[in-house]
């Protein structure tokens, strides 16, 4: 549904169409009805891996809502499960979240800081007759739970007295029992059609140290009990989560109600972001890292946030992508090409357009004075004159792309071939006169003559050429390594096989180790981004690039198969 508002700042009759997603519509209703007066959202990652582009969706959504409604956005580490979490991920998550939302540091909380409160809530439930200690084994609990079509049956321990439950729960906390010997369960309804409501476990015994609370606890709360309490304690208004939690919502509501939180939060679910033929799940990314298919969590072929950043994606391009892909209540898959469109759009007008030759062969201009190097004025971005110009050296010997010359070209090939004239970008017209090959027939050098009258910017209109090629001056060019990427997944076969293994594309990485770039690039800093004219957008690698050995990652090629206006 689109809401049309008159924008009073405009003198003319223009109207601004603000379309609201379904979550915003719900928030509007809640504000109108007075259910909430302040909006507070959160992003609650489990610190058990690096964040990926799916998490970015949740971060941008939650932070965006808080911003839109002048509310507060919290980052909360959901560190209630001591078996899986590692402190090392906390720093990377904080860095990634901050980067995605544009630099500001959100308030940071730890779910483990609420363990006392959660314990207090559990005791409250016991006292209300709403929770009991159960001695069934895990297998028995499963058996008693029933199935989707059959109701469960009551545990024989369900009717323990409040006193006995309080005593047993205290002794669980005091470490008297082994792991798995007892659990605390909510007393709800073993015949509920929703399995999550069949007396779910809310506390379990685990004699494990916790990275934050050490050995203080040997009982830990289960997610479905802990999460609503975390939200309620922080004063979250809208607890936004992904669709798989829809069936858990009745339990969420039960917990905040029975624990008697005032003005409790409300859970709203949205569909996860999936990218076609791209590995997004934390578990699967982890496997690629552990199996050595990629070289670490920030390998530029991955879509972890660290990897996207290293590859050269900007936070604003990722935000634009989320804007375009929208927020929905039903699962769908987005195209990676749309993300590529966003980064091209983001860099197009603001990054320098420079020349780099990825697969070089020599071009020798036989009528250009030997030993002379002239400096040409070249615009930094043809579409954005505000970016000014730079000096680019030009001389008798240049490098051009191997693919820009053919001995025997097909029809409609407008680049260099014997007898043909082309423009050297921002320089002169040259006509190919000859070439040299090695013993295998590979071209090693191309010869040509230039016409001094045709200098770019001189106003020459004498004749036209159909092809323009890029080049770099041979004696001043800097050598560089360039890494080209393809999808990590073999797209013909899809991501996963039936056994859960992945179809890896053997050509996902191509390393070109002898490329030549304009000398000005030697001044670049890691993370700097450029358009290499005709070949794409590139980023100086933040990990491997050194002043004496530049390494560029190709973020994306120039060509686009995606248009936002076409499906
Ligand atoms: P994964 O699905 O990769 O295993 P996770 O859900 O286990 O991730 P959490 O740390 O629990 O990872 O996730 C933190 C938040 O990010 C949760 O609120 C979760 O719903 C959300 N989230 C995870 N994956 C996606 C996704 N693909 N799209 C949108 N939100 C996501
Ligand atoms: Mg999870």
């Amino acid at each position: 549904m689109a809401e049309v508002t008159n924008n009073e700042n405009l003198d003319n009759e223009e109207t601004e169409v603000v379309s609201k997603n379904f979550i915003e519509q719900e928030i509007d209703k809640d504000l109108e009805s007075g259910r909430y007066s302040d909006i507070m959202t959160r992003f609650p990652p489990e610190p058990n891996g690096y964040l990926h582009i799916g998490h970015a969706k949740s971060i941008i959504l939650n932070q965006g809502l808080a911003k839109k409604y002048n509310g507060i956005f919290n980052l909360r580490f959901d560190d209630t499960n001591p078996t899986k979490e590692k402190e090392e991920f906390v720093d990377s998550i904080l860095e990634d979240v901050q980067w995605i939302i544009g630099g500001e540091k959100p308030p940071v909380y730890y779910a483990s800081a609420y363990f006392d409160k959660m314990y207090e809530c559990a005791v409250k439930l016991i006292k209300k007759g709403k929770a009991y200690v159960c001695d069934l084994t895990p297998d028995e609990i499963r058996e008693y739970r029933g199935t989707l079509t059959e109701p469960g049956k009551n545990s024989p321990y369900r009717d323990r007295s409040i006193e006995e439950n309080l005593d047993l729960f205290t002794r669980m906390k005091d470490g008297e029992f082994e792991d798995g010997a007892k659990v605390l369960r909510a007393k709800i309804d073993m015949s509920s059609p929703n399995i999550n409501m069949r007396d779910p476990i809310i506390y379990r015994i685990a004699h494990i140290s916790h990275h934050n609370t050490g050995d203080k606890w040997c009982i830990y709360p289960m997610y479905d009990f802990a999460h609503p309490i975390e939200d309620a304690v922080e004063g979250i208004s809208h607890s936004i989560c992904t669709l798989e939690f829809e069936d858990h919502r009745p339990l969420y509501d039960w917990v905040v109600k029975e624990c008697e939180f005032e003005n409790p939060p409300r859970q709203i679910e949205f569909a996860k972001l999936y990218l076609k033929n791209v590995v997004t799940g934390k578990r699967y990314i982890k496997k690629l890292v552990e199996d050595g298919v990629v070289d670490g969590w920030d390998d530029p072929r991955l879509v972890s946030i660290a990897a996207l950043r290293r590859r050269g994606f900007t936070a604003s391009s990722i935000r634009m992508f989320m804007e375009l892909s929208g927020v929905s209540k039903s699962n769908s898959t987005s195209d990676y090409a749309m993300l590529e469109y966003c980064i091209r759009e983001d860099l197009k007008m603001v990054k320098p357009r420079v020349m780099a030759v990825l697969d070089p062969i020599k071009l020798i201009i036989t009528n250009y004075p030997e030993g002379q190097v002239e400096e040409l004025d070249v615009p930094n971005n043809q579409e954005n004159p505000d970016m000014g110009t730079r000096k680019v050296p030009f001389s008798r010997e240049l490098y051009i792309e191997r693919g820009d010359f053919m001995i025997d070209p097909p029809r409609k090939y407008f680049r260099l071939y014997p007898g043909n004239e082309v423009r050297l970008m921002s320089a002169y017209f040259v006509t190919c006169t000859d070439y040299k090959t090695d013993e295998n027939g590979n071209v090693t050098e191309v010869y040509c003559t230039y016409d001094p009258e045709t200098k770019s910017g001189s106003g020459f209109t004498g004749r036209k050429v159909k092809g323009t090629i890029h080049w770099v001056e041979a004696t001043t060019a800097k050598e560089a390594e360039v890494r080209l990427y393809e999808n990590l997944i073999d797209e013909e076969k899809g991501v996963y096989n039936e056994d859960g293994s992945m179809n890896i594309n053997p050509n996902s990485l191509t390393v070109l180790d002898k490329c030549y770039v304009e000398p000005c690039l030697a001044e670049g800093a890691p993370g700097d981004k450029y358009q290499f004219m005709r070949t794409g957008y590139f980023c100086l690698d933040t990990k491997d690039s050194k002043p004496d050995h530049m390494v560029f990652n190709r973020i994306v090629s120039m060509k686009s198969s995606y248009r936002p206006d076409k499906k």
Side-chain angles (χ1 to χ4, degrees):
M1 208 171 69
E3 187 184 272
V4 181
T5 50
N6 281 316
N7 189 331
E8 281 158 18
N9 297 327
L10 292 175
D11 294 334
N12 56 26
E13 298 278 287
E14 256 180 68
T15 53
E16 192 193 356
V17 179
V18 186
S19 72
K20 298 206 168 186
N21 66 44
F22 77 95
I23 298 177
E24 292 163 345
Q25 292 172 32
E26 289 303 312
I27 294 178
D28 284 348
K29 280 189 224 159
D30 290 339
L31 288 170
E32 215 164 289
S33 73
R35 179 167 176 182
Y36 303 106
S37 53
D38 296 303
I39 300 306
M40 196 191 271
T41 59
R42 86 289 173 263
F43 173 66
E46 228 178 303
N48 62 353
Y50 282 73
L51 299 182
H52 55 65
I53 189 153
H55 297 114
K57 174 147 203 154
S58 175
I59 296 164
I60 291 165
L61 173 62
N62 279 292
Q63 194 260 353
L65 288 170
K67 200 163 174 193
K68 190 160 191 171
Y69 290 93
N70 281 318
I72 295 172
F73 164 74
N74 291 347
L75 167 61
R76 181 203 311 140
F77 289 102
D78 203 336
D79 58 351
T80 53
N81 181 355
T83 49
K84 286 198 294 179
E85 286 134 19
K86 286 204 201 137
E87 213 160 1
E88 61 161 296
F89 296 119
V90 167
D91 294 339
S92 79
I93 291 175
L94 184 57
E95 183 185 357
D96 290 348
V97 170
Q98 241 175 290
W99 181 74
I100 280 287
I101 65 179
E104 59 203 281
K105 187 178 175 195
V108 178
Y109 297 97
Y110 292 84
S112 57
Y114 313 140
F115 279 159
D116 284 313
K117 180 70 191 173
M118 291 168 192
Y119 181 78
E120 205 182 284
C121 286
V123 169
K124 179 183 232 128
L125 292 182
I126 296 173
K127 287 184 177 162
K128 290 171 76 173
K130 299 277 183 179
Y132 62 97
V133 173
C134 182
D135 300 359
L136 291 179
T137 64
D139 283 342
E140 287 167 334
I141 289 182
R142 206 169 303 125
E143 198 188 305
Y144 275 63
R145 192 181 292 136
T147 63
L148 284 173
T149 49
E150 285 165 51
K153 42 179 199 195
N154 286 352
S155 158
Y157 304 99
R158 200 172 197 264
D159 294 320
R160 276 178 162 152
S161 69
I162 289 174
E163 291 66 36
E164 191 184 0
N165 280 319
L166 281 176
D167 173 58
L168 287 171
F169 189 51
T170 309
R171 288 161 60 194
M172 278 169 68
K173 180 188 67 137
D174 292 341
E176 223 177 277
F177 309 113
E178 307 261 290
D179 290 6
K182 293 185 185 334
V183 291
L184 185 71
R185 300 176 68 175
K187 195 173 188 175
I188 309 180
D189 178 5
M190 287 307 291
S191 59
S192 169
N194 183 339
I195 292 192
N196 296 306
M197 300 298 272
R198 294 184 191 167
D199 291 9
I201 297 171
I202 59 177
Y203 258 98
R204 69 193 166 108
I205 302 171
H207 291 266
I208 307 173
S209 290
H210 185 279
H211 73 93
N212 232 359
T213 56
D215 291 324
K216 179 175 176 192
W217 297 94
C218 63
I219 53 170
Y220 291 96
M222 302 301 286
Y223 180 88
D224 279 341
F225 177 64
H227 201 85
I229 296 175
E230 294 156 25
D231 286 340
V233 167
E234 285 172 21
I236 300 299
S237 59
H238 295 83
S239 174
I240 291 155
C241 64
T242 42
L243 282 184
E244 70 273 24
F245 290 100
E246 195 164 14
D247 290 344
H248 299 240
R249 190 182 345 128
L251 180 53
Y252 185 102
D253 291 341
W254 185 92
V255 171
V256 291
K257 176 168 167 265
E258 295 300 342
C259 295
E260 297 171 22
F261 284 101
E262 265 174 52
N263 204 16
R266 168 179 178 199
Q267 175 179 309
I268 300 179
E269 309 85 20
F270 73 102
K272 272 194 175 184
L273 172 80
Y274 293 100
L275 283 176
K276 198 195 259 162
N277 284 329
V278 174
V279 181
T280 42
K282 205 186 274 174
R283 195 155 58 93
Y284 291 99
I285 293 181
K286 195 167 171 204
K287 187 161 167 34
L288 291 169
V289 174
E290 284 170 356
D291 292 354
V293 175
V294 294
D295 123 54
W297 283 93
D298 61 355
D299 185 301
R301 289 167 292 178
L302 295 173
V303 291
S304 62
I305 293 177
L308 289 166
R309 181 170 54 228
R310 181 172 167 200
R311 173 106 167 231
F313 282 90
T314 56
S316 48
S317 69
I318 296 173
R319 292 197 296 265
M320 189 199 298
F321 171 69
M322 297 307 168
E323 188 69 32
L324 282 176
S325 60
V327 180
S328 154
K329 191 88 198 161
S330 56
N331 279 321
S332 66
T333 321
S334 297
D335 258 324
Y336 185 80
M338 187 158 90
L339 182 60
E340 294 188 319
Y341 164 82
C342 294
I343 186 67
R344 284 192 200 97
E345 282 299 298
D346 200 37
L347 301 182
K348 189 165 76 176
M349 301 303 282
V350 296
K351 292 298 167 193
R353 300 180 182 183
V354 298
M355 294 193 279
V357 175
L358 306 189
D359 184 11
I361 49 168
K362 267 262 172 84
L363 180 77
I364 298 164
I365 306 171
T366 50
N367 63 338
Y368 193 88
E370 227 161 307
Q372 179 177 316
V373 178
E374 88 180 275
E375 296 218 293
L376 302 172
D377 284 310
V378 176
N380 286 326
N381 185 321
Q382 286 78 352
E383 287 187 81
N384 182 0
D386 290 348
M387 288 182 67
T389 61
R390 68 181 181 286
K391 300 277 185 206
V392 177
F394 182 88
S395 80
R396 188 174 200 268
E397 293 198 10
L398 313 173
Y399 290 109
I400 61 167
E401 298 283 355
R402 184 172 297 280
D404 282 339
F405 173 78
M406 283 185 95
I407 300 170
D408 199 7
R411 275 189 54 200
K412 297 211 168 165
Y413 184 88
F414 299 121
R415 291 167 277 163
L416 269 185
Y417 54 88
N420 193 39
E421 186 171 49
V422 299
R423 172 175 284 292
L424 292 175
M425 205 175 263
S426 301
Y428 300 93
F429 285 8
V430 289
T431 304
C432 178
T433 52
D434 201 1
Y435 61 91
K436 201 155 104 186
T437 56
D438 63 13
E439 62 273 21
N440 301 318
N442 295 318
V443 176
T444 53
E445 286 179 353
V446 177
Y447 300 93
C448 64
T449 54
Y450 87 118
D451 177 354
E453 301 293 305
T454 58
K455 186 169 177 174
S456 186
S458 68
F460 174 78
T461 51
R463 60 187 183 278
K464 288 202 165 119
V465 286
K466 281 195 170 151
T468 299
I469 65 173
H470 62 276
W471 51 274
V472 290
E473 197 278 321
T475 60
T476 51
K478 300 289 173 200
E479 236 179 85
E481 176 181 325
V482 168
R483 298 174 182 172
L484 304 179
Y485 304 104
E486 280 179 23
N487 194 347
L488 197 54
I489 293 301
D490 184 336
E491 297 185 12
E492 307 258 296
K493 298 185 187 149
V495 183
Y496 308 110
N497 293 311
E498 269 184 10
D499 62 0
S501 62
M502 287 175 261
N503 291 308
I504 302 299
N505 169 8
N507 304 315
S508 60
L509 170 66
T510 304
V511 177
L512 304 172
D513 53 10
K514 214 172 179 324
C515 307
Y516 288 104
V517 300
E518 276 185 41
C520 70
L521 293 190
E523 283 147 38
D528 279 0
K529 298 165 190 57
Y530 306 89
Q531 184 191 109
F532 286 178
M533 281 191 282
R534 299 174 64 224
T535 55
Y537 289 93
F538 291 78
C539 176
L540 255 187
D541 190 65
T542 48
K543 218 171 175 178
D544 298 336
S545 195
K546 302 278 167 329
D548 59 350
H549 181 79
M550 285 187 278
V551 177
F552 289 93
N553 298 319
R554 177 149 74 184
I555 313 168
V556 64
S557 64
M558 294 301 292
K559 279 187 227 80
S560 171
S561 54
Y562 172 82
R563 294 271 180 293
D565 48 335
K566 275 192 210 154
K567 271 275 160 201

